[in-house]
Amino acid sequence: TRKERKFDHLQGVLSAGKLETAEVAKHLLFHQYGNYVVQQTLAVAKDPQHTILLEAVRPYVHQVPIV
């Protein structure tokens, strides 16, 4: 399904390259479009991926500007 494809894509992004999951999640959280991807992924993700992403962005949530 479309939701599964979105999640698979984010999972690939979070696990790709040499950056830690928390670093990638932080970058996405503060990116204009990445923030939307994080929000949508959290809305459809199931454990354990939901918990992994939530824990990765939790330290930065209070820093995200509200517009």
Side-chain angles (χ1 to χ4, degrees):
T1 67
R2 182 178 167 168
K3 289 180 182 180
E4 290 170 339
R5 285 193 305 269
K6 283 183 185 179
F7 177 74
D8 288 343
H9 180 69
L10 184 63
Q11 186 67 20
V13 169
L14 290 176
S15 62
K18 296 180 180 180
L19 296 176
E20 296 292 325
T21 299
E23 292 178 64
V24 176
K26 179 181 178 183
H27 177 75
L28 287 172
L29 193 61
F30 289 96
H31 186 273
Q32 178 180 354
Y33 301 110
N35 184 287
Y36 174 79
V37 172
V38 171
Q39 291 177 48
Q40 293 302 304
T41 302
L42 285 171
V44 300
K46 294 180 176 36
D47 278 326
Q49 290 84 7
H50 183 272
T51 301
I52 292 168
L53 182 56
L54 188 61
E55 292 301 319
V57 299
R58 184 172 294 188
Y60 310 107
V61 170
H62 66 282
Q63 299 173 15
V64 176
I66 300 173
V67 276

